[in-house]
Amino acid sequence: MDDVRPNVHPILLSLVTYLPLVGAAAIMLTRGTAQSIETAARWVALWTSGIVFVLAVLMWAQFDPARHGIAFEQQVRWASGAGMSYHVGVDGISLMFVLLSAFLTPLAIIGGWRQVTGRVRDYMVAMLVLETTLIGLFSALDLVLFYVFYEATLLPASLMIGVWGGPRRVWASLQFFLFTFGGSLFMLLALLAMWNATGTTDIVALQHHGFGHGMQCWLLAGFIIAFGVKLPLFPLHAWLPDAYTEAPTPASVMLSGVLSKAGAYGLLRFGVMMFPDAARLFAPVVLTLGVIAVIYAAIIALAQTDMKRVIAYSSFSHMGVIAIGLFTLTPEGIDGAIFQMLSHGIVIAALFFCVSAVSWRAETREISAFSGVAHKMPVLATLAMLFVMANIGLPGTGAFVGEFLVMVGALHVSFWLAFLGGTSMILGAVYMLVLYRRVLFGADRGGIVALLRDLTGQELAVLVPLAIVTIWMGVHPNSFLRVFDPAVTYLLHPLATVAAVEPAQITHVAG
């Protein structure tokens, strides 16, 4: 059934992938005074990313999840003698992450409109290059191409941390680069081993190649280390707190909202779906590490005194839930993990923006410096309450749907797995409500809080769309589930799906 293709034009994917590079080139060619260049860079980046988002939505509208296979597919000879090609396309799973990348990028650009004041042109170029690498990563159907895009994300991400970050930005950038690059070496070794065994790096062909049990285990071990750093899995998370905290807020949004999802996407695409036998063998280990991440990160989050570090450890805790969902190896668990990835990308971005709205005005992120902020910023307090509740997993928000499906999948494995994984909701409620109460409630003690003003139009332009999507995902989750659930079902049970579809086609032809 892989030769069945939705009738859509493949050029859309190329436009979505490479239009940001065109915008980056236009910014680099801009001439004039320093102020005019900065203004032009901001507007070109915003318009470019906005057009990319519109095109990504058009892809979503044209995508038919009922028809199995790859949509918007393009394949060009590259090094065909070595079994390599430029091969891109999306299924229901990867399309959602392309859409997430395209949605968060313009919001990140608006979010940094006033906060990024130095080397604005370079910053906007880095943001657009990061968008191209992320979309290319999620749409790559050749393993070498995937590796190129995966490594390319390191350059703009590391630069945004190291150049525009906080006081410890150089150390945070170096940690992020070395951890991710070191992990990628294991992926490169696995890639070379697969190419040596099959003579191709085409992902679709590799998914149908029957690797031996022993080789599956070695390959999956390499991919778990590579993607476990990016996710991150416990204990490969040492880079995360500093990177998320020291990065400028828009970069933190892209790191936690999209880039961490590249690790989870890789584990799904190259772990669960490509090496199913090894995945069953490694599942107890990954599930245990997921549970440890959920509990450990939540406890550490409660002890933080910096608002941004609380959100950073919250992100780490929720990525543990995603790891649990992926390695339940059940359709419900994997659906829940994907939905949680999308929901977490939206909610964690909103929380970083909320923290930024307060800390940018007060010039501090220390929790002890705040009390009664809601008196001065009631609109922020209202939106922040929504995002805090979403982060906890309140029914009616997207996070609840994702975590509920993950727990359903975990119940198929073990009651205790579901119970321990479900503590993310309880522990999340503790540290998030404590943070919310300390900062936004309580008596107005004056000081820096007395000088705060409520959200500006630019900040509302960022937070309101995130709030709408958060509620939309909770109230009408099928808008998203219907896109990727058929792909999950088909890739987990391809033979059963083919057996179910072919008789229906025969009946239709006979009729």
Side-chain angles (χ1 to χ4, degrees), residues 60 92-101 103-104 138 256-258 261 264 319 322 335-349 398-399 402 466 469-470 473 477 479-481 483-484:
W60 186 17
I93 300 169
S94 50
L95 175 61
M96 287 288 95
F97 292 105
V98 169
L99 193 63
L100 178 66
S101 305
F103 176 62
L104 288 183
F138 290 124
S256 60
V258 188
K261 309 306 177 290
M319 296 310 288
I322 290 168
D335 276 347
I338 296 172
F339 201 95
Q340 179 72 353
M341 283 187 249
L342 299 173
S343 172
H344 176 266
I346 301 298
V347 173
I348 206 70
L466 293 170
V469 174
T470 297
M473 294 186 75
S479 304
F480 305 88
L481 284 169
V483 177
F484 60 79

Side-chain angles (χ1 to χ4, degrees), residues 208-285:
H208 292 86
H209 184 84
F211 292 101
H213 181 76
M215 188 172 185
Q216 279 195 33
C217 292
W218 284 109
L219 292 174
L220 182 57
F223 281 121
I224 286 177
I225 294 172
F227 297 124
V229 171
K230 189 85 86 176
L231 186 67
L233 275 176
F234 181 89
L236 304 173
H237 65 283
W239 62 270
L240 180 144
D242 287 337
Y244 283 13
T245 304
E246 296 301 319
T249 297
S252 298
V253 166
M254 297 303 291
L255 283 171
S256 60
V258 188
L259 201 54
S260 65
K261 309 306 177 290
Y265 175 82
L267 279 179
L268 173 62
R269 186 69 76 186
F270 304 110
V272 174
M273 293 180 172
M274 193 174 285
F275 310 120
D277 294 338
R280 282 189 285 271
L281 183 66
F282 279 80
V285 176

Side-chain angles (χ1 to χ4, degrees), residues 276-320:
D277 294 338
R280 282 189 285 271
L281 183 66
F282 279 80
V285 176
V286 178
L287 292 174
T288 301
L289 294 178
V291 169
I292 292 173
V294 167
I295 299 172
Y296 166 80
I299 294 171
I300 299 297
L302 189 58
Q304 299 306 304
T305 59
D306 183 314
M307 292 187 290
K308 208 172 181 185
R309 290 183 80 87
V310 175
I311 306 304
Y313 278 106
S314 169
S315 178
F316 178 33
S317 180
H318 282 84
M319 296 310 288

